[in-house]
């Protein structure tokens, strides 16, 4: 079964660092882009950025560039989303999602989603 | 900035109704548009890609159409399982944009 499994919910204080993870299984992890999407409480979906685990090529939304770091470790089929200094406004659900296969009609869609990681930042 | 504008933001409908949601792109995107369904507390689920192709397992009451800047998602006969929020999404030059979402509520 193709799936993405994310790490568990986190509760952190402002200023703390955090890395959440997204582990792929059931497919060739290095051949598909993995994106990260933020959903603040009661709000819509916001694209944060994307990484290609095969060569670690990474692209960011201008809204999130410099605020987070996206990376991948292909040896363990895992993508990461990292903050160096959290703010209360980072409180949200974060999803990873697999982009469709290169050269396929699904290439510009996200066909597999993780279950989400809830991050709560509060003093 | 590239924008995707969805309408309406909320829609009240009854079981059996035909429902249409519209998504407009601020510039032409060909047919590279996807639709997702998100139920409360769950991750989004891909329904349609390339504007009109149903993903595997998606009921045939869902359909998508459009190209260029105007797209629609239609549910031909609304079922109880369809009450959810729907999002459109485009992918343009390594930049992804989601529409603001349409919540389909029970009338």
């Amino acid at each position: 079964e193709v799936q993405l499994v994310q790490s568990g919910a986190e509760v952190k204080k402002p200023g703390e660092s955090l890395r959440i993870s997204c582990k792929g299984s059931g497919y060739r992890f290095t051949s598909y882009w993995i994106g990260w999407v933020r959903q603040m409480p009661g709000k819509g979906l916001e694209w944060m950025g994307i990484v290609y685990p095969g060569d670690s090529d990474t692209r960011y939304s201008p809204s999130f560039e410099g605020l987070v770091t996206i990376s991948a470790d292909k040896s363990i089929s895992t993508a990461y989303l990292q903050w160096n200094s959290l703010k209360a406004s980072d409180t949200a659900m974060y999803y990873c999602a697999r982009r469709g296969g290169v050269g396929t009609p699904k290439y510009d869609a996200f066909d597999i989603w993780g279950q989400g990681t809830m991050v709560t930042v509060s003093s | 900035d590239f924008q995707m504008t969805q309408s309406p933001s909320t829609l009240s409908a009854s079981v059996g109704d035909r429902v249409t949601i519209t998504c407009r792109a601020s510039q032409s995107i060909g047919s590279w548009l996807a639709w997702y369904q998100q139920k409360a507390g769950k991750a989004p689920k891909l329904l349609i890609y390339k504007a009109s192709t149903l993903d595997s397992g998606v009921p045939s009451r869902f359909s998508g159409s459009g190209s260029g800047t105007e797209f629609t998602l239609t549910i031909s006969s609304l079922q109880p399982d369809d009450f959810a929020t729907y999002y459109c999404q485009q992918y343009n030059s390594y930049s992804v944009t989601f529409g603001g979402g349409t919540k389909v509520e029970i009338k």
Side-chain angles (χ1 to χ4, degrees), chain B residues 27-39:
Chain B
Q27 56 188 270
S28 179
I29 56 173
S31 296
W32 298 108
L33 184 100
W35 290 97
Y36 300 86
Q37 177 193 64
Q38 187 180 31
K39 296 182 180 178

Side-chain angles (χ1 to χ4, degrees), chain A:
Chain A
E1 180 193 3
V2 175
Q3 60 179 348
L4 297 173
V5 178
Q6 297 185 229
S7 49
E10 301 275 1
V11 179
K12 304 294 258 185
K13 290 182 168 38
E16 292 186 332
S17 63
L18 175 65
R19 188 177 75 168
I20 62 175
S21 66
C22 168
K23 183 173 176 63
S25 62
Y27 72 98
R28 182 174 294 200
F29 186 74
T30 52
S31 297
Y32 292 79
W33 293 82
I34 295 287
W36 287 95
V37 175
R38 182 176 79 174
Q39 188 167 39
M40 299 177 78
K43 301 298 184 183
L45 305 174
E46 300 174 90
W47 179 71
M48 302 177 73
I50 197 162
V51 60
Y52 189 73
D55 61 5
S56 293
D57 187 9
T58 308
R59 312 297 171 102
Y60 292 92
S61 161
S63 299
F64 291 93
E65 179 115 45
L67 302 179
V68 297
T69 301
I70 293 170
S71 61
D73 184 340
K74 62 184 179 182
S75 69
I76 54 171
S77 300
T78 301
Y80 299 100
L81 176 63
Q82 180 177 328
W83 295 260
N84 288 336
S85 181
L86 287 160
K87 308 179 188 65
S89 57
D90 292 317
T91 295
M93 181 70 83
Y94 293 88
Y95 294 102
C96 63
R98 189 186 81 164
R99 186 180 181 184
V102 175
T104 72
K106 279 192 198 180
Y107 187 47
D108 284 352
F110 294 97
D111 62 349
I112 304 294
W113 291 69
Q115 83 276 19
T117 296
M118 184 66 207
V119 174
T120 303
V121 184
S122 174
S123 54

Side-chain angles (χ1 to χ4, degrees), chain B residues 26-87:
Chain B
S26 59
Q27 56 188 270
S28 179
I29 56 173
S31 296
W32 298 108
L33 184 100
W35 290 97
Y36 300 86
Q37 177 193 64
Q38 187 180 31
K39 296 182 180 178
K42 299 292 187 183
K45 172 190 170 185
L46 178 64
L47 292 178
I48 288 170
Y49 58 92
K50 211 175 176 190
S52 61
T53 304
L54 261 60
D55 200 21
S56 176
V58 174
S60 59
R61 62 181 180 273
F62 290 92
S63 64
S65 65
S67 65
T69 60
E70 189 120 354
F71 301 86
T72 58
L73 171 69
T74 300
I75 309 172
S76 60
S77 177
L78 198 65
Q79 298 301 301
D81 192 47
D82 301 337
F83 291 96
T85 301
Y86 295 84
Y87 295 93

